[in-house]
Amino acid sequence: MGIKENLLNIRKTISECAIKSGRGENDVKLVAVSKFHPAESVLEAISCGQLLFGENRVQEAAAKFDFVRSTGAEPCLHIIGSLQRNKVKEAVRIASCIESLDRIELADEIEKQCAKIGKKIDVLLEIHTGEESKSGFSSEEDVALVLEKCAAGEYGHIVPKGFMTMAPNTDDESLVRKSFSYLRELRGRMSSRFPSLSLSELSMGMSGDYEIAISEGATIVRIGTAIFGQRDYSK
């Protein structure tokens, strides 16, 4: 099947899962992960009504989405991969949201670069719930420190919207579900602690586990392979 058919099937499944979990059919947003796929694939997805995309590599994303936007298209881009401080300047230029804010030093740099261009940017705090090799906050107090600075206006250009995680790469559904439920519970604790912040978003679930994620409260799912097919990692 092609991109159009894949999108139709995934949207249908997302809507069915959302309704089953007691939410509206349009309450879960789909981020189409286009990393390692060409601009032509992004444009094809846009022609099917998909406007929200995710990219891991800033350099690749900048070239791709500058081209896509030059055609007159207006996609929304989330940076979802581990972000180095020296890539932040370009990341805040091209993206509307950084889903992978995973350390205090990165928050400092995002605030610095956004202030330079007078831009506010949405962020999700990435939480470590999976393998040791994955990035993300592992300390709730560090999470709280970033949110405290946002609430106090010290990060005047950073708009926290919620949290993101990657579940462990395992066939054990109970471990995957535990990862997602922890993120939901963390959101509850932080929302109570920082009532002035809107922390409604939970970005969790990918091609292999997004149905479980939705059942555990995901508001954003990040799906690439099931939309665009296998990626060419050699490029």
Side-chain angles (χ1 to χ4, degrees):
M1 290 190 296
I3 290 172
K4 181 178 180 179
E5 293 79 9
N6 291 340
L7 278 169
L8 286 171
N9 289 334
I10 289 165
R11 287 171 181 155
K12 183 174 182 289
T13 302
I14 289 172
S15 294
E16 291 171 347
C17 290
I19 292 169
K20 189 175 180 180
S21 67
R23 288 175 286 166
E25 62 180 354
N26 298 313
D27 285 355
V28 180
K29 293 182 282 291
L30 169 62
V31 171
V33 179
S34 49
K35 66 178 182 179
F36 299 117
H37 292 286
E40 290 74 19
S41 294
V42 173
L43 288 167
E44 184 176 349
I46 290 172
S47 74
C48 301
Q50 179 65 33
L51 295 177
L52 178 55
F53 296 86
E55 288 276 342
N56 286 53
R57 297 181 175 183
V58 173
Q59 187 173 355
E60 176 192 350
K64 186 185 305 180
F65 280 83
D66 282 347
F67 173 78
V68 168
R69 288 166 177 153
S70 75
T71 69
E74 297 183 1
C76 181
L77 177 62
H78 287 200
I79 298 298
I80 61 174
S82 182
L83 183 58
Q84 297 174 333
R85 289 178 66 184
N86 65 351
K87 303 292 185 182
V88 169
K89 179 179 179 180
E90 189 75 336
V92 300
R93 179 183 74 82
I94 62 173
S96 62
C97 179
I98 294 174
E99 292 199 16
S100 49
L101 172 50
D102 62 358
R103 57 198 187 279
I104 294 170
E105 296 80 11
L106 184 59
D108 290 339
E109 188 65 23
I110 292 171
E111 172 62 26
K112 175 183 173 182
Q113 296 301 332
C114 283
K116 285 182 178 179
I117 60 173
K119 177 179 179 177
K120 288 192 174 185
I121 194 164
D122 293 345
V123 301
L124 302 181
L125 279 70
E126 182 177 359
I127 309 300
H128 175 87
T129 63
E131 307 96 287
E132 290 304 315
S133 62
K134 299 300 182 184
S135 55
F137 285 100
S138 56
S139 163
E140 285 197 22
E141 285 311 305
D142 284 346
V143 171
L145 179 57
V146 172
L147 295 177
E148 185 177 322
K149 289 189 173 187
C150 291
E154 293 182 45
Y155 290 150
H157 296 82
I158 295 176
V159 184
K161 291 293 187 178
F163 305 93
M164 183 267 263
T165 198
M166 294 179 66
N169 184 20
T170 176
D171 293 329
D172 188 336
E173 182 178 322
S174 65
L175 293 178
V176 174
R177 195 170 291 277
K178 182 179 179 181
S179 170
F180 295 149
S181 64
Y182 172 79
L183 199 71
R184 185 187 68 250
E185 292 161 2
L186 174 68
R187 179 185 63 181
R189 290 191 292 275
M190 292 300 160
S191 293
S192 296
R193 192 165 172 180
F194 301 99
S196 67
L197 301 178
S198 176
L199 302 172
S200 60
E201 302 288 10
L202 291 178
S203 176
M204 55 191 197
M206 300 188 293
S207 290
D209 56 20
Y210 71 94
E211 294 181 50
I212 301 172
I214 293 171
S215 73
E216 290 293 339
T219 65
I220 299 171
V221 293
R222 310 180 305 273
I223 299 177
T225 302
I227 296 173
F228 298 108
Q230 292 294 327
R231 305 179 181 100
D232 183 355
Y233 292 96
S234 66
K235 292 182 179 179

